[in-house]
Amino acid sequence: MTETEPPELPRGIALAWGVAADPQRGPKREMSVEKIVDAAVELADAEGIGAVSMAAVAAKLGFTPMSLYRYVSAKDDLLLLMQEQATGLPPESHLEADGWRDRLLALYEEQVLLYLRHPWMLSVPITGSPITPNSSAWLDASLAALESTPLSADERISVALAVTGDARWCGIVQAGYTAQSRGSGLTPEEVAVREATLYDRVITADEFPALRRAIEEDVFLSPADPFRFGVERMLDGVAAYISTLDRGEPRDPAGEWVALDPAELAGDRRLREAQKAVREAEKMLRTARKIERQTLREAGERLAKAKKIG
């Protein structure tokens, strides 16, 4: 039996861990991976991720793009290093919180703040686990917070990912409102009022009864944080599950990944056509039901008017 060689670290990950080979040629001392990443992060913070290119970063540093490629050979590697630097290490302050729940909430809040400080991070595609020092430190902090619980390794990673996902979703929405506020010149409160007004114009009780009731209860103008409520209730569920384990009850079996059918992944033409036909049929059904509701409402109005006249 022969031992298989471990896979070679991709260049970007090797750079993040400081184990990549240094360039043999290039500007002496004036250039470094750190300076390149610093300049790229400054550009992204000021102008968004779309402003970041090898040429733009080189111009900011006063060098040619080819000089950068000797240090960072691909833009994907640069994006990885930018994300790593902006992420930083989890603050030590979360260790001052009592218990696993408060520590996770502290980490959740800090992750949301990361996205608000560097909203461009939300535009960097997720292509797998970010196997970099700082990102690993955040995951380690979440898992460490749960070590005192009876949760299994699979269950601890599930909770950690749920908290991270909630923080990212909150960051996406808040960053979107901030961008809309800057672009429109409106305050975030004025943006919310405009959004509520638009909903009020298009959402009818006949077609979307539950959403209409929510609008009439001013849900889109509420100062309450729906994301914090959601993460708190998720942790309620984790706490309740831990209680069952403490009582010696059996663990819940882990579910399987949600996955597409292999035929859909392969881009099967007949399957795409069938799915399109289903979507068209569903659209026609919604339209027919809308006409039905409108007809019933108009008939009811006519009947009420006739009774009033009679």
Side-chain angles (χ1 to χ4, degrees):
M1 176 182 284
T2 60
E3 294 185 2
T4 58
E5 290 291 330
E8 183 179 352
L9 286 176
R11 172 75 176 169
I13 293 177
L15 285 169
W17 286 96
V19 296
D22 292 329
Q24 297 179 352
R25 297 181 301 165
K28 295 181 179 180
R29 299 193 180 183
E30 294 90 350
M31 180 79 77
S32 68
V33 172
E34 291 76 14
K35 288 183 178 180
I36 292 170
V37 175
D38 283 344
V41 169
E42 287 178 11
L43 273 174
D45 285 345
E47 304 177 40
I49 197 67
V52 177
S53 66
M54 300 300 270
V57 175
K60 185 174 178 65
L61 292 170
F63 292 99
T64 65
M66 286 306 300
S67 300
L68 267 65
Y69 281 110
R70 295 190 182 102
Y71 292 82
V72 182
S73 57
K75 185 177 178 181
D76 285 347
D77 292 343
L78 178 59
L79 292 174
L80 178 71
L81 295 171
M82 290 169 61
Q83 189 173 30
E84 171 71 357
Q85 177 174 304
T87 298
L89 292 171
E92 293 291 323
S93 58
H94 85 277
L95 296 173
E96 300 171 5
D98 292 328
W100 64 268
R101 179 174 181 141
D102 285 347
R103 286 193 179 185
L104 288 181
L105 283 172
L107 290 169
Y108 163 82
E109 291 174 356
E110 290 296 333
Q111 288 177 78
V112 172
L113 290 174
L114 275 180
Y115 292 129
L116 297 182
R117 294 181 185 119
H118 309 287
W120 54 266
M121 291 174 61
L122 297 163
S123 300
V124 178
I126 297 176
T127 57
S129 298
I131 309 171
T132 53
N134 291 343
S135 295
S136 298
W138 280 87
L139 183 56
D140 182 76
S142 294
L143 294 176
L146 292 162
E147 279 193 332
S148 62
T149 72
L151 296 175
S152 68
D154 282 347
E155 290 164 346
R156 289 195 294 271
I157 197 74
S158 296
V159 175
L161 292 176
V163 173
T164 298
D166 283 340
R168 185 178 181 88
W169 176 223
C170 180
I172 288 172
V173 174
Q174 288 209 55
Y177 274 94
T178 300
Q180 190 178 124
S181 178
R182 288 173 180 169
S184 64
L186 301 174
T187 66
E189 293 75 17
E190 289 170 336
V191 170
V193 169
R194 184 179 67 176
E195 183 178 76
T197 302
L198 293 176
Y199 265 114
D200 188 56
R201 287 182 59 187
V202 299
I203 300 300
T204 64
D206 285 343
E207 194 167 7
F208 307 102
L211 181 55
R212 183 67 230 179
R213 285 191 293 272
I215 292 169
E216 291 173 355
E217 293 173 5
D218 290 332
V219 69
F220 292 108
L221 299 175
S222 171
D225 180 355
F227 301 99
R228 177 60 180 243
F229 179 86
V231 75
E232 290 272 15
R233 299 295 74 76
M234 182 272 290
L235 294 177
D236 283 346
V238 175
Y241 179 63
I242 288 175
S243 295
T244 67
L245 298 179
D246 288 336
R247 294 194 298 269
E249 297 181 21
R251 297 180 183 277
D252 287 340
E256 296 182 356
W257 285 85
V258 177
L260 289 174
D261 186 275
E264 189 166 357
L265 282 172
D268 185 273
R269 180 179 58 83
R270 289 177 299 174
L271 179 59
R272 288 201 308 271
E273 291 175 351
Q275 290 173 334
K276 183 178 179 181
V278 169
R279 289 194 298 271
E280 291 297 326
E282 290 173 341
K283 183 178 179 181
M284 292 174 64
L285 179 60
R286 287 195 300 271
T287 300
R289 285 175 174 169
K290 183 177 181 179
I291 293 172
E292 179 187 30
R293 289 191 296 269
Q294 183 177 350
T295 302
L296 286 172
R297 184 177 64 252
E298 291 173 351
E301 291 172 352
R302 289 195 299 269
L303 181 60
K305 186 176 180 180
K307 288 181 177 179
K308 187 177 180 179
I309 294 174

